[in-house]
């Protein structure tokens, strides 16, 4: 299985600040990447995904991520965060065989009003 | 659409007893479901892949006899924690793939809300 690393375990931002969460994956040929969000007390929800094509992927709620193959990265960005973005964010990679997902350890984002 | 439910949401049991957790896809059919375990402030660790009508595929290090998985229908998978011990206390999450999709869309997993298991 592939591995995924998220460098920031906790991030604290003020509202309107810009966000970038790092995600790096291990090399494995063709990669399919995901960002999930888990709001407090809720289930995991898909923010966005990359399979192929345009490396800049736009997701829900104003989030986007850029796939940079040379850096094995898939960082999540949002130009201006809101208090409601407070949640835990997980990067994940689809393992070869297109069967299972491997998740990163997650980044807890706290946005202060 | 694509809603997955889990029952119960929270369960407390005594050491040595067994607990069954249900995972249901409410508005789609799922030939494949997944069971994860999440420790506090940690990531989701895949335990097993549940396949409808066949045996589950367990990840390395997961005890098959302790975590029994049954996927008897296209909308239901169950995880039974047998002879539970305090170290089994954790948050168990299931996910499901929509069998009605194809191509790249078939890879997406829809997650349930999780079940908090506390073994005393």
């Amino acid at each position: 299985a592939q591995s995924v690393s998220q460098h920031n375990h906790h991030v604290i931002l003020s509202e309107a600040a810009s966000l970038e969460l790092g995600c790096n994956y291990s090399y494995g040929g063709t990669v399919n990447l995901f960002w999930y969000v888990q709001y407090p007390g809720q289930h995991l929800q898909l923010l966005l995904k990359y399979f192929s094509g345009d490396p800049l992927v736009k997701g829900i709620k104003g989030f986007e991520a850029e796939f940079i193959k040379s850096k094995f990265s898939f960082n999540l960005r949002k130009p201006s965060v809101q208090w409601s973005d407070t949640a835990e964010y997980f990067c994940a990679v689809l393992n070869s065989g297109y069967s299972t997902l491997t998740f990163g350890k997650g980044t807890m984002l706290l946005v202060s009003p | 659409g694509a809603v997955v439910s889990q029952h119960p949401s929270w369960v407390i049991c005594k050491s040595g007893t067994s607990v069954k957790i249900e995972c249901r896809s409410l508005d789609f059919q799922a030939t494949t479901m997944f069971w994860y375990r999440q420790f506090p402030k940690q990531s989701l660790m895949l335990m097993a892949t549940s396949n409808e009508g066949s045996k589950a595929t367990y990840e390395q290090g997961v005890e098959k006899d302790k975590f029994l998985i049954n996927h008897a229908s296209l909308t239901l998978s169950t995880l039974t924690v047998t002879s539970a011990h305090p170290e089994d206390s954790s948050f168990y999450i299931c996910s499901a793939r929509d069998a009605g999709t194809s191509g790249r869309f078939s890879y997406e997993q829809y997650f349930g809300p999780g079940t908090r298991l506390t073994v005393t």
Side-chain angles (χ1 to χ4, degrees):
Chain A
Q2 297 210 34
S3 64
V4 178
S5 61
Q6 293 180 244
H7 311 297
N8 314 104
H9 298 297
H10 293 91
V11 173
I12 301 174
L13 294 173
S14 298
E15 274 194 316
S18 64
L19 170 72
E20 181 161 3
L21 301 182
C23 172
N24 288 92
Y25 60 92
S26 61
Y27 176 75
T30 301
V31 287
N32 300 283
L33 296 154
F34 304 79
W35 274 99
Y36 286 89
V37 61
Q38 189 173 30
Y39 296 103
Q42 296 189 29
H43 61 278
L44 276 165
Q45 299 173 43
L46 181 67
L47 270 179
L48 48 80
K49 58 191 173 189
Y50 171 79
F51 280 95
S52 63
D54 189 344
L56 185 61
V57 181
K58 295 198 182 295
I60 61 172
K61 306 187 180 188
F63 286 91
E64 64 179 32
E66 186 174 12
F67 170 62
I68 303 179
K69 190 174 182 179
S70 61
K71 295 184 179 180
F72 303 109
S73 70
F74 189 57
N75 292 356
L76 181 70
R77 300 195 293 245
K78 186 171 184 178
S80 175
V81 295
Q82 300 172 315
W83 176 78
S84 57
D85 292 324
T86 293
E88 187 148 24
Y89 293 80
F90 293 93
C91 182
V93 63
L94 191 65
N95 291 308
S96 59
Y98 304 110
S99 55
T100 60
L101 287 172
T102 295
F103 285 85
K105 290 190 175 181
T107 298
M108 184 67 218
L109 171 66
L110 176 62
V111 180
S112 58
Chain B
V3 178
V4 176
S5 70
Q6 281 184 243
H7 178 78
S9 56
W10 187 28
V11 58
I12 301 174
C13 70
K14 292 186 177 181
S15 187
T17 62
S18 295
V19 173
K20 180 185 282 188
I21 302 170
E22 292 185 349
C23 176
R24 292 181 185 274
S25 56
L26 299 186
D27 50 2
F28 65 98
Q29 293 185 327
T31 52
T32 304
M33 291 183 170
F34 302 89
W35 286 96
Y36 295 86
R37 187 171 177 176
Q38 186 179 27
F39 292 100
K41 301 187 187 301
Q42 294 191 31
S43 185
L44 284 78
M45 299 298 295
L46 180 66
M47 299 175 65
T49 302
S50 172
N51 302 298
E52 188 267 336
S54 64
K55 291 184 179 180
T57 304
Y58 290 82
E59 295 299 300
Q60 192 172 10
V62 177
E63 299 176 60
K64 301 178 184 181
D65 295 332
K66 181 165 189 61
F67 298 99
L68 301 179
I69 291 172
N70 184 276
H71 193 155
S73 79
L74 287 172
T75 59
L76 173 65
S77 175
T78 60
L79 169 68
T80 301
V81 183
T82 61
S83 187
H85 291 286
E87 56 266 30
D88 298 325
S89 298
S90 191
F91 195 54
Y92 293 88
I93 301 173
C94 75
S95 69
R97 280 200 191 139
D98 186 347
T101 55
S102 60
R104 62 177 66 181
F105 300 104
S106 66
Y107 308 146
E108 187 166 343
Q109 295 182 25
Y110 301 97
F111 286 82
T115 297
R116 173 77 57 196
L117 170 62
T118 301
V119 184
T120 61

